[in-house]
Amino acid sequence: MFNRVIALKNKTYPEGTINVSGKNSWKAFFRWEKVLVDENLSCMEKTFHHPSSYLDFLSKVANGALLYYDIEYGQWGYEVFSLSKFPIKQRYWTENLVLPNTTPLLAFCELYGENTVLMLDTSEKVQRVVEASCFYGPSDWIKVADSLDEWLDLLILNNGAKYWESTLE
Protein backbone atom coordinates (compact mmCIF):
# COMPACT_ATOMS: atom_id res chain seq x y z
CA MET A 1 0.00 0.00 0.00
CA PHE A 2 1.19 3.52 -0.89
CA ASN A 3 4.27 2.23 -2.76
CA ARG A 4 4.04 4.74 -5.61
CA VAL A 5 3.50 7.77 -3.34
CA ILE A 6 6.32 6.68 -1.03
CA ALA A 7 8.65 6.48 -4.06
CA LEU A 8 7.59 10.02 -5.03
CA LYS A 9 8.15 11.19 -1.46
CA ASN A 10 11.65 9.70 -1.49
CA LYS A 11 12.49 11.86 -4.54
CA THR A 12 11.12 15.10 -3.06
CA TYR A 13 11.42 14.86 0.76
CA PRO A 14 11.12 17.07 2.79
CA GLU A 15 10.52 19.63 0.05
CA GLY A 16 11.31 19.40 -3.60
CA THR A 17 10.21 19.81 -7.16
CA ILE A 18 9.88 17.66 -10.22
CA ASN A 19 9.47 18.73 -13.81
CA VAL A 20 6.18 17.52 -15.20
CA SER A 21 6.35 17.00 -18.93
CA GLY A 22 3.53 16.61 -21.38
CA LYS A 23 1.32 18.91 -23.41
CA ASN A 24 2.05 21.73 -20.94
CA SER A 25 5.32 21.28 -19.06
CA TRP A 26 5.50 22.75 -15.57
CA LYS A 27 7.35 22.47 -12.25
CA ALA A 28 5.49 20.75 -9.42
CA PHE A 29 6.38 21.42 -5.79
CA PHE A 30 5.97 18.88 -2.97
CA ARG A 31 6.19 19.24 0.81
CA TRP A 32 6.00 16.27 3.14
CA GLU A 33 5.51 16.49 6.88
CA LYS A 34 7.04 13.87 9.17
CA VAL A 35 4.92 10.77 9.71
CA LEU A 36 2.48 10.64 12.60
CA VAL A 37 3.93 9.08 15.75
CA ASP A 38 2.11 6.35 17.67
CA GLU A 39 0.92 8.47 20.60
CA ASN A 40 -0.71 11.02 18.28
CA LEU A 41 -2.25 8.24 16.25
CA SER A 42 -3.83 6.71 19.37
CA CYS A 43 -5.29 10.09 20.31
CA MET A 44 -6.71 10.56 16.83
CA GLU A 45 -8.29 7.11 16.79
CA LYS A 46 -10.10 7.91 20.04
CA THR A 47 -11.26 11.34 18.88
CA PHE A 48 -12.50 10.59 15.36
CA HIS A 49 -13.69 7.55 13.48
CA HIS A 50 -11.15 7.73 10.68
CA PRO A 51 -10.78 5.18 7.95
CA SER A 52 -7.71 3.02 8.37
CA SER A 53 -6.39 4.06 4.94
CA TYR A 54 -6.17 7.72 6.02
CA LEU A 55 -4.51 6.78 9.32
CA ASP A 56 -2.08 4.59 7.38
CA PHE A 57 -1.23 7.52 5.11
CA LEU A 58 -0.56 9.77 8.11
CA SER A 59 1.62 7.19 9.86
CA LYS A 60 3.42 5.64 6.86
CA VAL A 61 3.68 8.43 4.27
CA ALA A 62 3.27 11.87 5.87
CA ASN A 63 1.28 13.70 8.52
CA GLY A 64 0.11 16.15 5.89
CA ALA A 65 1.47 16.85 2.43
CA LEU A 66 1.39 19.33 -0.41
CA LEU A 67 1.26 17.51 -3.74
CA TYR A 68 1.72 18.83 -7.28
CA TYR A 69 1.63 22.46 -6.22
CA ASP A 70 2.14 24.87 -9.12
CA ILE A 71 4.96 27.12 -7.88
CA GLU A 72 4.78 29.47 -10.83
CA TYR A 73 1.15 30.58 -10.44
CA GLY A 74 0.02 28.97 -7.18
CA GLN A 75 -3.29 27.94 -8.63
CA TRP A 76 -2.95 24.19 -8.68
CA GLY A 77 -2.15 21.47 -6.16
CA TYR A 78 -3.49 19.25 -3.42
CA GLU A 79 -3.16 19.64 0.34
CA VAL A 80 -3.64 16.40 2.27
CA PHE A 81 -4.58 17.45 5.80
CA SER A 82 -2.37 16.78 8.79
CA LEU A 83 -3.65 15.59 12.15
CA SER A 84 -3.76 19.15 13.47
CA LYS A 85 -5.62 20.55 10.43
CA PHE A 86 -8.12 17.72 10.10
CA PRO A 87 -10.73 18.80 12.70
CA ILE A 88 -10.64 22.43 11.52
CA LYS A 89 -10.99 21.47 7.86
CA GLN A 90 -13.64 18.84 8.58
CA ARG A 91 -15.76 21.40 10.41
CA TYR A 92 -15.21 24.00 7.67
CA TRP A 93 -16.22 21.67 4.85
CA THR A 94 -19.12 20.11 6.75
CA GLU A 95 -20.58 23.59 7.22
CA ASN A 96 -19.85 24.82 3.67
CA LEU A 97 -21.23 21.70 2.05
CA VAL A 98 -24.26 21.79 4.39
CA LEU A 99 -23.70 18.26 5.63
CA PRO A 100 -25.06 16.86 8.89
CA ASN A 101 -22.59 16.48 11.76
CA THR A 102 -23.03 12.73 11.51
CA THR A 103 -21.94 12.62 7.86
CA PRO A 104 -19.95 9.56 6.79
CA LEU A 105 -17.94 11.84 4.48
CA LEU A 106 -14.56 12.93 5.80
CA ALA A 107 -12.69 15.81 4.17
CA PHE A 108 -9.01 14.91 3.80
CA CYS A 109 -7.63 16.98 0.90
CA GLU A 110 -8.28 20.45 -0.53
CA LEU A 111 -7.64 21.35 -4.14
CA TYR A 112 -5.85 24.66 -4.71
CA GLY A 113 -7.48 26.99 -7.21
CA GLU A 114 -10.82 25.24 -6.86
CA ASN A 115 -13.68 25.36 -4.40
CA THR A 116 -13.62 21.62 -3.93
CA VAL A 117 -12.44 19.05 -1.45
CA LEU A 118 -11.71 15.35 -1.66
CA MET A 119 -13.65 13.28 0.83
CA LEU A 120 -13.52 9.69 1.98
CA ASP A 121 -16.93 8.07 2.08
CA THR A 122 -16.83 5.94 5.22
CA SER A 123 -20.35 4.54 4.78
CA GLU A 124 -18.93 1.37 3.21
CA LYS A 125 -16.15 -1.03 4.17
CA VAL A 126 -13.84 0.24 1.42
CA GLN A 127 -13.85 4.02 1.48
CA ARG A 128 -14.20 5.53 -1.96
CA VAL A 129 -12.89 9.02 -2.69
CA VAL A 130 -15.31 11.68 -3.98
CA GLU A 131 -14.76 15.28 -5.07
CA ALA A 132 -17.26 17.51 -3.28
CA SER A 133 -18.20 21.06 -4.22
CA CYS A 134 -20.40 23.75 -2.67
CA PHE A 135 -21.81 24.38 -6.14
CA TYR A 136 -23.39 20.92 -6.45
CA GLY A 137 -25.36 18.62 -4.22
CA PRO A 138 -24.01 15.27 -3.01
CA SER A 139 -25.83 13.36 -5.76
CA ASP A 140 -23.71 15.26 -8.33
CA TRP A 141 -20.36 14.78 -6.63
CA ILE A 142 -17.83 12.84 -8.66
CA LYS A 143 -16.33 9.53 -7.64
CA VAL A 144 -12.58 9.95 -7.99
CA ALA A 145 -11.31 6.52 -6.91
CA ASP A 146 -12.31 3.39 -5.07
CA SER A 147 -9.74 4.01 -2.32
CA LEU A 148 -7.18 6.50 -1.05
CA ASP A 149 -4.32 4.37 -2.35
CA GLU A 150 -5.93 4.16 -5.80
CA TRP A 151 -6.42 7.95 -5.89
CA LEU A 152 -2.75 8.54 -5.07
CA ASP A 153 -1.60 6.00 -7.68
CA LEU A 154 -3.79 7.50 -10.40
CA LEU A 155 -2.81 11.04 -9.43
CA ILE A 156 0.88 10.17 -9.81
CA LEU A 157 0.34 8.27 -13.06
CA ASN A 158 -1.46 11.36 -14.42
CA ASN A 159 1.22 13.84 -13.24
CA GLY A 160 -1.11 15.55 -10.78
CA ALA A 161 -3.91 16.13 -13.30
CA LYS A 162 -7.55 15.70 -12.32
CA TYR A 163 -7.80 12.47 -14.33
CA TRP A 164 -11.38 11.91 -13.19
CA GLU A 165 -12.57 14.93 -15.17
CA SER A 166 -11.33 13.46 -18.44
CA THR A 167 -13.64 10.46 -17.94
CA LEU A 168 -16.76 12.63 -17.68
CA GLU A 169 -18.96 13.07 -20.71
Side-chain angles (χ1 to χ4, degrees):
M1 182 181 257
F2 301 126
N3 294 336
R4 195 168 269 125
V5 73
I6 289 171
L8 177 61
K9 176 185 171 184
N10 290 338
K11 292 178 189 174
T12 57
Y13 183 83
E15 293 182 348
T17 60
I18 60 170
N19 291 316
V20 178
S21 56
K23 191 168 91 173
N24 298 313
S25 297
W26 59 289
K27 190 174 277 196
F29 176 78
F30 297 83
R31 182 176 55 240
W32 308 90
E33 302 300 329
K34 293 181 180 178
V35 295
L36 193 61
V37 292
D38 289 339
E39 51 270 9
N40 288 338
L41 187 60
S42 298
C43 175
M44 187 174 186
E45 288 173 329
K46 291 175 189 172
T47 310
F48 297 99
H49 299 289
H50 293 311
S52 60
S53 61
Y54 181 62
L55 296 176
D56 285 345
F57 179 87
L58 297 177
S59 64
K60 295 178 181 168
V61 181
N63 180 19
L66 184 59
L67 309 173
Y68 291 100
Y69 182 73
D70 174 14
I71 57 175
E72 186 173 358
Y73 301 107
Q75 61 186 9
W76 187 254
Y78 304 84
E79 180 188 4
V80 179
F81 305 141
S82 66
L83 170 65
S84 61
K85 276 194 174 181
F86 177 84
I88 297 161
K89 293 295 189 173
Q90 180 65 20
R91 188 169 37 256
Y92 171 84
W93 283 104
T94 300
E95 289 173 6
N96 282 291
L97 296 170
V98 194
L99 296 172
N101 288 335
T102 57
T103 182
L105 298 169
L106 296 177
F108 75 94
C109 178
E110 278 182 355
L111 284 70
Y112 282 90
E114 313 241 349
N115 194 16
T116 61
V117 64
L118 296 180
M119 303 187 92
L120 287 166
D121 182 353
T122 64
S123 63
E124 300 190 20
K125 187 173 181 174
V126 176
Q127 294 84 30
R128 66 189 180 118
V129 177
V130 297
E131 181 183 21
S133 168
C134 313
F135 301 118
Y136 304 102
S139 63
D140 295 321
W141 292 348
I142 301 165
K143 179 181 124 182
V144 171
D146 288 324
S147 69
L148 178 58
D149 190 39
E150 180 184 63
W151 170 67
L152 289 164
D153 279 351
L154 291 171
L155 187 70
I156 293 166
L157 290 172
N158 288 278
N159 292 320
K162 289 176 68 176
Y163 63 87
W164 56 93
E165 288 185 343
S166 64
T167 60
L168 298 177
E169 296 279 334

